[in-house]
Amino acid sequence: MKVAYYPGCTLKTTAKNFEASTLASAKELGIDLVEPGRWNCCGTVHALAKDDVMHHIAPLRNLLRVEEMKAEGKVDDKKVVTLCAMCYNTLKRSNQVFKDDADKRKKVQENMENEAAPYGGSVEVLHLLELLREQGWDKVSGRVTKPLKGLKVAPYYGCLLLRPRGTGLDDADNPTIMEDLLKALGAEVVDFPYKLKCCGSYHTVQMKEAVADLSYRILDQAKRAGADIVATACPLCEYNLGPRQAEIRKHYPSFGALPVVYFTQLMALAFGLGDESTAFGANTPDPRPLLKERGLI
Amino acid sequence: MMEKDKKMVTIYVMGKKHRVPADLTIMKAMEYAGHQFRRGAGCRGGFCGSCATIYRRKGSYKLLGALACQKMVEDGMYIAQIPFSPAEKKTYKLDELKADAATFLVYYPEIARCLACNTCTKACPQDLQVMDFVQAALRGDITTVAKLSFDCLSCGLCAVRCPAEIVPYNVGQLGRRLYSRYVVGPTEHVLVRVQEVEEGKFDEEIKNLRALDKAGLKKLYDARDMEA
Amino acid sequence: MLSFKPENRAFRDKVKELSGEKIDLCFQCGACSSGCPMTQEMDYLPSKVIRMTQLGLEEALDSKTIWVCTTCFNCEVRCPRGIDIANVMEALRTMVLRKKYNRVNLEDLTAEELRELPQIAIVSNQRKLTA
């Protein structure tokens, strides 16, 4: 099947490992993720002010690209799959505003006058996890050649995959989607109380001590629950939990490293794919010593 | 041809009304009306980007951009010049740069504010896909930045309209430099020729040329290889 | 005792309009504040800011709270009255930003930071905190 895929800026720059592992593992599942020839930054985060129109143009332009792709026969459906939780939230919410508000819809379409045709509102925004759930977890487990036996994975959802209510891809209080995926990969799932807690998000730019504090608490709880490794679905979460551990150590010097990876990297690993696909070399802290210890690489 | 037979139109230059021949460009029409260009004129051939102009058509609310040396006047046109776009240009040593997305962010971090509103593209007198090359820079797609901004004149019309306060022409320039230096790299035949020069292959010939007088040079010149 | 004064009506109505939220429904249960990850950095708790907007107090715009919010929507999920407190925070921020106020400055970031930070951080940071 051919599905439109929206990468988002970060997947092309600092989160190439997320993209590489996704494209490779999706292929194993018979899913061809097709990137639009032309796309723009979604302009995360979703603009909440009720009178705002301008900030919806960027995300909706990308959805227009998907409509174009369908018209050109490049994809099977008017669906777009995204990996970054923030892009997911932004695209989905702007799409909803477009559908609900006739006045805004008109204004946005007028602002797309340079396009061959304005956005029609027919695209469905999905996160990869949703697509996998739709396909069925047996399909995922069917492809596993190297079950992640003995690997204790703590799924970290963060905020924008599940919230606000109505936009999230699973129950905001008791999600199971990441757990289901990890179980299908043969891993041992470690539940911990901070899996839904915010990592500090964009405050990593100017308030990194606050972010370090939040990340410390999240990772500490994961460790106490017995996790070896944390799985995430957002490049900003990955940055705040992973590379920011250096910042954590400035305030908590005895903090031992806990590897943080993208769920698709674990999927690629379980599918028996090579280093180019798992791309663990790009993660900080390096998860490879742990994975070697568990006999997985 | 008599003045009164020539078709004339009314234009307004900085608020003052003038009657000018209809077949002139904005620049020539302003000069016909008595203005002297001390700034804001350069090649007069649509290539240097000095003569950025903002104008309005009669009865229309839209503020449009054009190059004064290229755009023909229209009846009722309302014109204002932008002699200079005072954008900050960052200085960098091309040899020390990395050819990736982060380089664009280091020098022009404001590109992260791009709203994809397309106002820059609408303002461009060269009909370039400005928004697309700014977005390409954000992604680190240097080839696309270079290819789409190739005909950019750095006229500044995009920069004055951008709501995110980006200066697209500077981004394009950085992209083209990175492209030539790191993506395409130095051309083979140039490297070969430089080496030949350094090896002294042409020393004799140059010495002989230097020794010739004017008549001798002219003889050589007249006898040169010419393509039909 | 604090009570609603008619001259504060305009501010309260503006916040309601911009956020689209029924602020009057809040009965100060504090669930939003208890779930908020950033309360340590705040001067007023989220529930207190809601109270201030109910009373139409413009001092809410001077708080540190509105800038420290991460828009994680934990408050929205917890509110028993269905109020999206994050929307209210954004409305308050918007009112300040639209007066040409920038909370953060790109020029304060060093070259190393710009090189190292994931783009998503810079984009969202600028989107939330600049005019």
Side-chain angles (χ1 to χ4, degrees):
Chain A
M1 61 184 289
K2 282 192 178 0
V3 186
Y5 153 63
Y6 176 75
C9 318
T10 315
L11 279 253
K12 292 292 185 192
T13 53
T14 54
K16 290 196 182 109
N17 44 358
F18 199 179
E19 188 177 62
S21 50
T22 301
L23 295 178
S25 30
K27 229 186 179 91
E28 286 292 305
L29 294 166
I31 303 170
D32 197 3
L33 291 174
V34 186
E35 195 182 313
R38 202 184 148 203
W39 55 269
N40 51 264
C41 173
C42 73
T44 202
V45 289
H46 176 70
L48 300 169
K50 285 289 170 280
D51 58 358
D52 193 303
V53 176
M54 172 107 101
H55 290 103
H56 297 302
I57 298 174
L60 294 173
R61 237 188 246 282
N62 291 311
L63 299 183
L64 170 60
R65 302 286 166 248
V66 177
E67 284 184 337
E68 289 170 356
M69 284 170 90
K70 174 76 175 81
E72 289 163 17
K74 291 190 176 145
V75 291
D76 303 335
D77 265 311
K78 288 193 193 152
K79 276 185 189 170
V80 64
V81 162
T82 182
L83 301 176
C84 166
M86 288 178 91
C87 293
Y88 169 68
N89 189 278
T90 308
L91 292 173
K92 191 165 179 180
R93 293 194 78 181
S94 283
N95 203 16
Q96 200 56 51
V97 167
F98 183 88
K99 289 180 187 172
D100 294 339
D101 190 327
D103 183 56
K104 292 223 180 89
R105 181 161 57 239
K106 184 163 161 282
K107 287 187 180 147
V108 167
Q109 287 180 327
E110 278 167 8
N111 262 289
M112 288 189 179
E113 67 201 316
N114 63 300
E115 308 281 1
Y119 177 54
S122 59
V123 175
E124 192 191 343
V125 178
L126 294 173
H127 188 271
L128 180 66
L129 285 167
E130 284 182 293
L131 186 67
L132 295 175
R133 183 174 58 190
E134 251 177 38
Q135 299 279 297
W137 301 118
D138 325 318
K139 200 165 172 207
V140 173
S141 49
R143 271 280 177 226
V144 172
T145 57
K146 192 188 289 177
L148 305 176
K149 214 155 170 270
L151 188 66
K152 299 203 175 90
V153 187
Y156 176 70
Y157 285 87
C159 311
L160 299 179
L161 270 186
L162 304 170
R163 301 191 285 267
R165 273 194 214 281
T167 303
L169 47 63
D170 202 348
D171 188 87
D173 301 303
N174 251 320
T176 55
I177 197 170
M178 273 180 95
E179 285 86 336
D180 292 337
L181 170 70
L182 293 168
K183 281 191 196 128
L185 298 177
E188 195 185 314
V189 176
V190 173
D191 196 20
F192 72 110
Y194 277 34
K195 69 183 181 189
L196 305 175
K197 196 138 180 120
C198 182
C199 66
S201 191
Y202 45 82
H203 287 311
T204 197
V205 180
Q206 269 110 357
M207 287 174 68
K208 45 185 202 247
E209 297 80 22
V211 165
D213 208 58
L214 284 171
S215 301
Y216 168 71
R217 286 193 251 164
I218 293 166
L219 293 169
D220 189 50
Q221 286 295 323
K223 277 188 196 169
R224 281 171 204 256
D228 290 331
I229 194 170
V230 175
T232 175
C234 167
L236 190 48
C237 294
E238 192 268 349
Y239 182 76
N240 282 349
L241 293 179
R244 276 281 180 236
Q245 286 183 28
E247 187 68 30
I248 294 178
R249 235 164 265 123
K250 286 187 191 164
H251 307 278
Y252 302 92
S254 58
F255 179 80
L258 182 64
V260 178
V261 294
Y262 295 107
F263 70 93
T264 49
Q265 289 180 290
L266 291 177
M267 197 157 65
L269 180 65
F271 287 176
L273 301 175
D275 291 332
E276 269 169 26
S277 306
T278 55
F280 286 125
N283 295 61
T284 309
D286 193 342
R288 290 174 294 189
L290 168 81
L291 295 170
K292 224 180 199 143
E293 209 189 308
R294 294 276 180 278
L296 293 165
I297 51 168
Chain B
M1 181 149 94
M2 295 290 281
E3 259 284 352
K4 58 176 188 268
D5 294 333
K6 210 176 174 85
K7 180 160 189 283
M8 304 290 272
V9 293
T10 304
I11 64 169
Y12 298 83
V13 179
M14 287 178 277
K16 190 162 174 197
K17 183 173 166 178
H18 297 282
R19 291 283 288 170
V20 297
D23 59 355
L24 294 182
T25 59
I26 294 177
M27 185 176 274
K28 292 223 173 89
M30 284 174 71
E31 287 172 323
Y32 178 95
H35 289 279
Q36 199 181 42
F37 276 85
R38 305 192 78 136
R39 295 297 300 265
C43 69
R44 294 172 181 263
F47 215 81
C48 70
S50 302
C51 58
T53 308
I54 299 210
Y55 71 96
R56 195 189 79 224
R57 290 200 164 101
K58 184 166 152 179
S60 169
Y61 68 88
K62 293 191 185 188
L63 286 176
L64 304 167
L67 295 173
C69 68
Q70 298 297 294
K71 184 85 186 150
M72 303 295 280
V73 292
E74 292 168 23
D75 191 43
M77 210 184 227
Y78 219 95
I79 300 163
Q81 294 301 100
I82 311 178
F84 177 61
S85 176
E88 188 193 19
K89 195 202 69 107
K90 294 285 162 70
T91 47
Y92 37 80
K93 282 209 166 82
L94 194 54
D95 287 342
E96 291 171 8
L97 296 182
K98 270 207 192 112
D100 61 14
T103 301
F104 288 103
L105 276 176
V106 167
Y107 291 102
Y108 300 111
E110 55 274 17
I111 60 175
R113 303 185 69 211
C114 175
L115 297 161
C117 66
N118 216 39
T119 305
C120 49
T121 306
K122 282 159 81 169
C124 181
Q126 295 283 83
D127 298 329
L128 301 180
Q129 288 176 285
V130 188
M131 176 187 86
D132 288 301
F133 79 65
V134 173
Q135 284 293 329
L138 195 50
R139 288 202 295 280
D141 183 355
I142 295 172
T143 305
T144 303
V145 181
K147 295 215 161 119
L148 293 181
S149 72
F150 187 75
D151 288 318
C152 171
L153 312 172
S154 301
C155 72
L157 284 166
C158 53
V160 301
R161 303 211 69 162
C162 174
E165 296 151 323
I166 299 169
V167 181
Y169 63 84
N170 277 346
V171 178
Q173 173 115 82
L174 175 56
R176 292 192 297 279
R177 286 174 174 163
L178 289 172
Y179 180 71
S180 326
R181 182 77 175 75
Y182 294 106
V183 180
V184 175
T187 1
E188 182 71 38
H189 58 82
V190 169
L191 290 173
V192 168
R193 180 52 58 94
V194 166
Q195 199 179 10
E196 286 175 347
V197 169
E198 282 170 349
E199 284 168 359
K201 185 175 167 189
F202 301 102
D203 287 354
E204 180 82 30
E205 202 176 327
I206 292 176
K207 194 163 139 219
N208 292 342
L209 269 175
R210 282 214 164 107
L212 286 175
D213 63 357
K214 190 170 175 179
L217 275 171
K218 189 169 190 304
K219 197 160 149 217
L220 255 185
Y221 182 77
D222 287 341
R224 75 191 183 284
D225 271 338
M226 280 190 282
E227 284 190 13
Chain C
M1 194 189 86
L2 224 48
S3 60
F4 179 70
K5 294 195 182 73
E7 59 262 30
N8 295 336
R9 182 179 297 275
F11 175 70
R12 183 186 73 178
D13 289 349
K14 182 82 192 174
V15 177
K16 279 160 119 172
E17 190 194 328
L18 211 45
S19 67
E21 295 301 318
K22 300 191 174 78
I23 301 171
D24 299 324
L25 291 177
C26 170
F27 55 52
Q28 297 286 288
C29 72
C32 55
S33 299
S34 61
C36 175
M38 295 301 278
T39 49
Q40 277 181 312
E41 304 287 333
M42 293 179 173
D43 44 3
Y44 299 112
L45 287 177
S47 45
K48 192 156 182 183
V49 172
I50 301 294
R51 186 77 186 124
M52 288 164 88
T53 54
Q54 281 181 332
L55 294 168
L57 299 176
E58 284 198 53
E59 293 98 276
L61 295 176
D62 299 328
S63 69
K64 194 179 167 204
T65 300
I66 61 177
W67 302 110
V68 159
C69 165
T70 62
T71 331
C72 74
F73 297 104
N74 220 332
C75 47
E76 185 269 343
V77 163
R78 286 169 160 242
C79 178
R81 308 230 72 185
I83 302 172
D84 190 336
I85 292 95
N87 272 5
V88 179
M89 293 293 167
E90 178 113 332
L92 296 168
R93 281 194 295 266
T94 305
M95 288 166 87
V96 182
L97 291 172
R98 285 182 184 176
K99 294 196 182 131
K100 294 203 275 188
Y101 170 75
N102 284 318
R103 183 71 179 179
V104 298
N105 217 327
L106 268 177
E107 283 143 0
D108 293 336
L109 297 176
T110 65
E112 288 78 38
E113 285 173 319
L114 286 164
R115 179 159 274 286
E116 213 216 279
L117 284 166
Q119 291 186 306
I120 187 175
I122 302 174
V123 171
S124 49
N125 176 272
Q126 289 295 296
R127 178 60 72 84
K128 278 289 160 188
L129 306 171
T130 59

